[in-house]
Amino acid sequence: QVQLVESGGGLVQPGGSLRLSCAASGNVSGIVAMGWYRQAPENERELVARISDGTPPVVAEFVRDRFTISRDGAQDTVYLQMNSLKPEDTAVYYCNALLATPAKYFEVWGQGTLVTVSS
């Protein structure tokens, strides 16, 4: 079993920066990818960025020039550096891990961290 704990959300002014962190614990040896999704009020959850071993990170086009995803494999932590934040980036950001077992793949989610961009 894997647990994900996010941190780093909060209130920031437009144009500011935040760094989200997601620490994985438990049976982390099965993690093949980690990423960030977000969900704004009345919107569906959407992929922001994803990183996996051996492939280039995937970053959504709407944040590609502002957000960067990175992973510290030794500490099983994934980060989302968010720069030049806009009010439309306001959302709950969820950490996600994709795990592989001999039988199947399955996903684990964190509890979410709120990012509010407002003056």
Side-chain angles (χ1 to χ4, degrees), residues 1-118:
Q1 193 170 4
V2 171
Q3 296 80 39
L4 304 175
V5 178
E6 301 110 330
S7 61
L11 173 65
V12 63
Q13 294 186 344
S17 297
L18 282 176
R19 188 194 196 203
L20 304 183
S21 300
C22 172
S25 62
N27 188 16
V28 299
S29 62
I31 294 177
V32 297
M34 295 184 72
W36 291 94
Y37 288 71
R38 72 184 187 185
Q39 187 167 17
E42 301 183 358
N43 287 0
E44 294 185 354
R45 191 172 297 189
E46 59 185 0
L47 173 68
V48 177
R50 184 176 63 243
I51 190 167
S52 56
D53 293 338
T55 61
V58 173
V59 182
E61 185 174 356
F62 52 81
V63 297
R64 189 166 296 160
D65 57 343
R66 300 183 293 120
F67 291 10
T68 303
I69 188 170
S70 60
R71 182 179 176 186
D72 183 339
Q75 298 187 5
D76 297 303
T77 301
V78 64
Y79 304 96
L80 185 68
Q81 178 66 44
M82 305 185 294
N83 299 326
S84 303
L85 283 160
K86 305 175 181 180
E88 51 263 43
D89 294 317
T90 296
V92 178
Y93 285 71
Y94 296 91
C95 181
N96 170 276
L98 179 65
L99 287 89
T101 71
K104 63 179 182 179
Y105 290 92
F106 63 97
E107 294 182 299
V108 176
W109 294 90
Q111 80 284 357
T113 185
L114 177 63
V115 171
T116 303
V117 185
S118 175

